[in-house]
Amino acid sequence: MTIRVLLADDQNLVRAAFALLVASAPDMEVVGEAATGREAVHLARASRADLVIMDVRMPDLDGIEATRLIAADEDLAGVKVLVLTTYDTDENIVDALRAGASAFLVKDTRPAELLDAIRTVTAGDALLSPGPTARLIERFLRSPSAHHTPGSGPDCLSDRERQVLTLVARGLNNTEIAETLGLSPLTAKTHVSRIMGKLEVRDRAQLVIVAYESGLVTPGTSGQRQ
């Protein structure tokens, strides 16, 4: 299957570089280029892209708001958004995840890593820059503006599902979850899919936000709430 990629960045040279990189992969093709957030939303609908590489800072409509519009459009339910930006800040990452992004990477990511990220996200997995992710989510959730709703979402989950959600929030993939809990990878994947259905979220990135905001995983810890 060829992965259809839409590029959204206000800098012509950046888009051209990304276009060359994506075109170099035999399993990918560029189906559109957008210079503004509003254009990105329009082209996501018109091009039927599988994935949008979205810059945060763009004119007309910023990348986070464009991501929010794409994620909220039922006709674009299968479209994934990979936010790629120079600005590695707490607000950017948390806002991007809340808006519906499936991935967040900084622009100094190596070309091969970006191509792998496109494949990972298109396959249905979340991918977050490992270095900044834990620190920024925890720092944001410590701030007075963070909206905690302890015990809300995960209350509908079984004990096993809560364990799985905790491990997802720690950044483990299905294979690692399976090894940790003594399950088969298929069973772990089934648990994750069932959790996403119960919590009505799009992907694993959204599960991370639910786990932290509900208090199932708390800043500075990696375990479940007692």
Side-chain angles (χ1 to χ4, degrees), residues 27-87:
D27 57 340
M28 301 178 195
E29 66 174 324
V30 177
V31 296
E33 296 184 26
T36 71
R38 202 169 301 280
E39 188 178 6
V41 176
H42 170 73
L43 288 178
R45 293 169 178 152
S47 68
R48 310 309 300 178
D50 298 309
L51 179 138
V52 181
I53 295 180
M54 183 78 73
D55 187 30
V56 170
R57 302 292 180 89
M58 288 192 293
D60 186 25
L61 190 72
D62 68 44
I64 291 175
E65 185 58 32
T67 296
R68 185 173 290 109
L69 292 176
I70 291 172
D73 191 331
E74 293 184 358
D75 291 335
L76 299 177
V79 179
K80 306 293 185 181
V81 178
L82 189 163
V83 172
L84 191 66
T85 182
T86 306
Y87 304 96

Side-chain angles (χ1 to χ4, degrees), residues 75-149:
D75 291 335
L76 299 177
V79 179
K80 306 293 185 181
V81 178
L82 189 163
V83 172
L84 191 66
T85 182
T86 306
Y87 304 96
D88 174 13
T89 67
D90 296 8
E91 292 80 5
N92 280 344
I93 296 181
V94 174
D95 287 348
L97 294 178
R98 281 179 165 164
S102 296
F104 185 103
L105 292 175
V106 291
K107 282 186 176 178
D108 62 359
T109 298
R110 290 180 298 178
E113 291 176 343
L114 177 57
L115 294 179
D116 285 343
I118 292 172
R119 297 184 182 100
T120 297
V121 174
T122 304
D125 290 328
L127 187 146
L128 311 172
S129 292
T133 298
R135 127 184 110 64
L136 59 88
I137 289 179
E138 292 183 3
R139 186 185 302 171
F140 180 84
L141 291 174
R142 287 194 183 100
S143 71
S145 61
H147 300 290
H148 291 273
T149 53

